[in-house]
Amino acid sequence: MSASTTGLVRVFTEEELEARKSEVVGKLERRFGSLERALEREEDWDYDDDEAALFSEYHTVTFLLSD
């Protein structure tokens, strides 16, 4: 029998969010050469679904880390 996860909320520590941001930035840098080039590419709206997921995660983590 599996437990229900309805209503379950996951809380991330700042350290976990920083680690995830670092990982996502690394993936963007490998794919585009630099974070700046990745964000420029995002502005052009010329990216595939995998890249869209990375951009989304980058912005989510950045937002969660902002004051």
Side-chain angles (χ1 to χ4, degrees):
M1 176 188 258
S2 64
S4 172
T5 58
T6 303
L8 182 65
V9 175
R10 170 74 162 91
V11 177
F12 295 94
T13 65
E14 185 173 350
E15 291 79 21
E16 288 173 316
L17 292 172
E18 289 288 354
R20 186 61 193 149
K21 180 181 177 185
S22 179
E23 184 177 332
V24 171
V25 168
K27 288 179 181 181
L28 288 168
E29 289 174 339
R30 283 190 294 282
R31 185 164 272 196
F32 295 102
S34 71
L35 178 59
E36 293 77 21
R37 287 181 62 191
L39 296 175
E40 288 171 3
R41 175 79 175 266
E42 181 187 26
E43 288 178 8
D44 293 339
W45 293 90
D46 182 25
Y47 46 84
D48 63 28
D49 290 343
D50 290 337
E51 293 163 345
L54 285 173
F55 291 134
S56 177
E57 187 164 5
Y58 170 78
H59 291 297
T60 298
V61 172
T62 301
F63 172 77
L64 291 172
L65 287 168
S66 68
D67 290 324

